[in-house]
Amino acid sequence: MNPGTAHTSGGDARTDVVILGGGLAGLTLALQLRQRDPALAITVIERRAHPVREAAHKVGESTVEIGAHYFADVLGLRDHLEAEQVRKYGLRYFFTDREYDVQACSEMGVSKLLPTPSWQLDRGRFENFLGDRAREMGVDFRDEAVVRTLDLSETDAPHTVAFDHAGERQTLEARWVVDASGRAGLIKRKLGLAMSNDHDCNAVWWRIDGQSDLDQWSDDPQWRDRFTPARRVNSTNHMCGPGYWFWLIPLASGSHSLGIVCDAKMHPLETMNTFEKAMEWLRTHQPRAHEALDKPEYTLQDFLFLRHFSHGCKQVYSKHRWALTGEAGLFLDPFYSPGSDFIAISNTYVCELIGKDRAGEAIAPYAEIYQQLYFSFYENTLTLYQDQYPIFGHPQVMPIKVLWDYVYYWALLAPLFFSRRQADLSILAKLKPAFAEGRALNLAMQALMREWGTRDATPDLREARAYDQYEVEWCREMNGGLTDELDDAAYLARTQRSMAAMRQLASEVLALARAAIPDMGDHGLDALLAKHDSSAHASMLPAQWFVPVAEAA
């Protein structure tokens, strides 16, 4: 018998781990568990039939560094990503609210690929590949299976799952149950674990059969060339305005994924909750995008919307051998594409817990610690989005915010995952002061940028600037350094250098904000930066980005 398949004992089928949901989170968890322990019996129960269609109507097509590294290197799927998905030219931002002439407005992105790669995922194609790979590795993957009852044990007895599959009711006993069912939230609903947050945003999204080449949106040769050799269409494109952003993501199947994400108070869902309304909304807020997409050859493939998509959870890991991962637990906001990141982080903690249980260790203290860490990553990342949508259209403040948010990510959370230290409690104890300082700096900076962007409520969108992140040396170095193999001493030393870079950037942004608005509050930054010597650190803000346009010319 294949050691990875469920077996029958005493009349009931048994397995070591049953995963409820065979989407992105569930299938990648199954692969990660099998890689760590080939003897582990794993069963995945998925409601939908496989294979699914390409350009499936799921959000989460854009990856950034942690998620991309998880798929490519932790799970070993790089060959598929390179051959069957789209290598992306980073995240790109256009500040073009109500402006047709995109060449007259500011844009932020990269002209060349940063060292650490990421991809755009055709979710249907990727999940079909994951399903095939899981079966090849001995995972018992049952599609078209519907969970009917779930009995969770609070003793050493197994959990029990009853589900309908192949026309009959089946029962499965499992030592571990992991809920990866997405918004169905099987364990969350059963145990009353749902928790709302104060990030009130909505989203609508759709796919079209075909792709619009953004480089053709203007005849201006300088605009066309200002980010060469990058092709704009291969970026995760954000068309930004006050209270919203509109995404364009190319899929390897030839479709274009499109979506509007907005602050519910500023742009009610009812103004865009059908395809016709969404296109009319685009006509007003992004007229060049509307013209490019309003073509008869672009067949509509699907349309969906979701109200108040961001949510928390009261508990995700239990000493009683159950866990939640992916959207079944937490979901933040798609602006910086963190969905796959949090799948990677959560799946890794689940693997750690199951591994310790298999080794005979008591998991209760680890379940508590890992949950505290995971929740802290979620809460700190949520601050990048919460109450910040009103400034998303600001062409001067938002490029600064993007730089800050990248530094925060590249300095602390991303290196922790890349270095395989996210469950290393000894190193985490030593990192605690840096994470605490980073959190304090970030809270202050988000408040500063929010005040700046809201007080300067009518910026000139036609001060066109090209913010090329590839030209910024520290962007290339911090991004490329994620893959460095460092011992603990070198890793901690680099973290201290990264913290100094964060302080320097914060001090420069505070000075710039005060120059723009002399009575700007410091939001606690003066105290946090009291011991920082700006003259001893290289400048972080590219000077040419923030001088008046006439001087820059």
mmCIF file of all heavy atoms in Angstrom, residues 479-493:
data_model
loop_
_atom_site.group_PDB
_atom_site.id
_atom_site.type_symbol
_atom_site.label_atom_id
_atom_site.label_comp_id
_atom_site.label_asym_id
_atom_site.label_seq_id
_atom_site.Cartn_x
_atom_site.Cartn_y
_atom_site.Cartn_z
ATOM 1 N N ASN A 479 15.981 43.697 -2.129
ATOM 2 C CA ASN A 479 15.237 42.656 -2.825
ATOM 3 C C ASN A 479 16.147 41.466 -3.143
ATOM 4 O O ASN A 479 15.785 40.310 -2.893
ATOM 5 C CB ASN A 479 14.626 43.236 -4.098
ATOM 6 C CG ASN A 479 13.912 42.199 -4.930
ATOM 7 O OD1 ASN A 479 14.526 41.501 -5.731
ATOM 8 N ND2 ASN A 479 12.609 42.085 -4.750
ATOM 9 N N GLY A 480 17.322 41.734 -3.662
ATOM 10 C CA GLY A 480 18.237 40.649 -4.002
ATOM 11 C C GLY A 480 18.779 39.921 -2.794
ATOM 12 O O GLY A 480 19.073 38.718 -2.856
ATOM 13 N N GLY A 481 18.912 40.622 -1.663
ATOM 14 C CA GLY A 481 19.464 40.006 -0.460
ATOM 15 C C GLY A 481 18.546 39.004 0.193
ATOM 16 O O GLY A 481 18.978 38.271 1.099
ATOM 17 N N LEU A 482 17.295 38.923 -0.241
ATOM 18 C CA LEU A 482 16.365 37.980 0.367
ATOM 19 C C LEU A 482 16.831 36.537 0.219
ATOM 20 O O LEU A 482 16.542 35.696 1.072
ATOM 21 C CB LEU A 482 14.966 38.134 -0.247
ATOM 22 C CG LEU A 482 14.245 39.453 0.021
ATOM 23 C CD1 LEU A 482 12.952 39.518 -0.771
ATOM 24 C CD2 LEU A 482 13.971 39.638 1.514
ATOM 25 N N THR A 483 17.522 36.241 -0.839
ATOM 26 C CA THR A 483 17.948 34.858 -1.085
ATOM 27 C C THR A 483 19.330 34.551 -0.499
ATOM 28 O O THR A 483 19.820 33.430 -0.664
ATOM 29 C CB THR A 483 17.965 34.567 -2.594
ATOM 30 O OG1 THR A 483 18.811 35.516 -3.256
ATOM 31 C CG2 THR A 483 16.557 34.653 -3.180
ATOM 32 N N ASP A 484 19.948 35.509 0.195
ATOM 33 C CA ASP A 484 21.266 35.262 0.804
ATOM 34 C C ASP A 484 21.162 34.176 1.871
ATOM 35 O O ASP A 484 20.210 34.160 2.669
ATOM 36 C CB ASP A 484 21.814 36.539 1.441
ATOM 37 C CG ASP A 484 22.213 37.587 0.417
ATOM 38 O OD1 ASP A 484 22.296 37.250 -0.777
ATOM 39 O OD2 ASP A 484 22.421 38.744 0.816
ATOM 40 N N GLU A 485 22.138 33.284 1.903
ATOM 41 C CA GLU A 485 22.243 32.271 2.959
ATOM 42 C C GLU A 485 23.160 32.820 4.040
ATOM 43 O O GLU A 485 24.368 32.957 3.819
ATOM 44 C CB GLU A 485 22.782 30.957 2.397
ATOM 45 C CG GLU A 485 21.851 30.277 1.404
ATOM 46 C CD GLU A 485 20.654 29.617 2.082
ATOM 47 O OE1 GLU A 485 20.716 29.403 3.316
ATOM 48 O OE2 GLU A 485 19.668 29.319 1.380
ATOM 49 N N LEU A 486 22.616 33.147 5.207
ATOM 50 C CA LEU A 486 23.368 33.780 6.276
ATOM 51 C C LEU A 486 23.286 32.956 7.545
ATOM 52 O O LEU A 486 22.235 32.369 7.850
ATOM 53 C CB LEU A 486 22.813 35.186 6.560
ATOM 54 C CG LEU A 486 22.743 36.175 5.382
ATOM 55 C CD1 LEU A 486 22.046 37.452 5.822
ATOM 56 C CD2 LEU A 486 24.134 36.484 4.840
ATOM 57 N N ASP A 487 24.399 32.939 8.309
ATOM 58 C CA ASP A 487 24.305 32.345 9.641
ATOM 59 C C ASP A 487 23.583 33.325 10.564
ATOM 60 O O ASP A 487 23.274 34.465 10.174
ATOM 61 C CB ASP A 487 25.684 31.951 10.175
ATOM 62 C CG ASP A 487 26.635 33.132 10.347
ATOM 63 O OD1 ASP A 487 26.176 34.284 10.509
ATOM 64 O OD2 ASP A 487 27.864 32.906 10.328
ATOM 65 N N ASP A 488 23.305 32.893 11.780
ATOM 66 C CA ASP A 488 22.487 33.720 12.668
ATOM 67 C C ASP A 488 23.112 35.081 12.935
ATOM 68 O O ASP A 488 22.414 36.108 12.936
ATOM 69 C CB ASP A 488 22.260 32.992 13.998
ATOM 70 C CG ASP A 488 21.238 31.866 13.877
ATOM 71 O OD1 ASP A 488 20.631 31.731 12.803
ATOM 72 O OD2 ASP A 488 21.053 31.129 14.867
ATOM 73 N N ALA A 489 24.412 35.114 13.145
ATOM 74 C CA ALA A 489 25.076 36.381 13.457
ATOM 75 C C ALA A 489 24.965 37.354 12.286
ATOM 76 O O ALA A 489 24.651 38.545 12.463
ATOM 77 C CB ALA A 489 26.538 36.142 13.818
ATOM 78 N N ALA A 490 25.208 36.844 11.079
ATOM 79 C CA ALA A 490 25.134 37.709 9.902
ATOM 80 C C ALA A 490 23.693 38.149 9.635
ATOM 81 O O ALA A 490 23.438 39.285 9.223
ATOM 82 C CB ALA A 490 25.701 36.978 8.687
ATOM 83 N N TYR A 491 22.759 37.249 9.902
ATOM 84 C CA TYR A 491 21.347 37.577 9.705
ATOM 85 C C TYR A 491 20.911 38.682 10.666
ATOM 86 O O TYR A 491 20.249 39.657 10.265
ATOM 87 C CB TYR A 491 20.498 36.327 9.909
ATOM 88 C CG TYR A 491 19.011 36.541 9.785
ATOM 89 C CD1 TYR A 491 18.393 36.575 8.541
ATOM 90 C CD2 TYR A 491 18.212 36.728 10.920
ATOM 91 C CE1 TYR A 491 17.021 36.778 8.424
ATOM 92 C CE2 TYR A 491 16.842 36.926 10.809
ATOM 93 C CZ TYR A 491 16.254 36.947 9.558
ATOM 94 O OH TYR A 491 14.902 37.153 9.442
ATOM 95 N N LEU A 492 21.286 38.574 11.921
ATOM 96 C CA LEU A 492 20.921 39.602 12.901
ATOM 97 C C LEU A 492 21.603 40.924 12.585
ATOM 98 O O LEU A 492 20.993 41.995 12.743
ATOM 99 C CB LEU A 492 21.296 39.124 14.304
ATOM 100 C CG LEU A 492 20.468 37.947 14.839
ATOM 101 C CD1 LEU A 492 21.103 37.380 16.108
ATOM 102 C CD2 LEU A 492 19.027 38.374 15.106
ATOM 103 N N ALA A 493 22.845 40.863 12.109
ATOM 104 C CA ALA A 493 23.551 42.097 11.750
ATOM 105 C C ALA A 493 22.873 42.784 10.569
ATOM 106 O O ALA A 493 22.741 44.019 10.542
ATOM 107 C CB ALA A 493 25.008 41.783 11.415
#
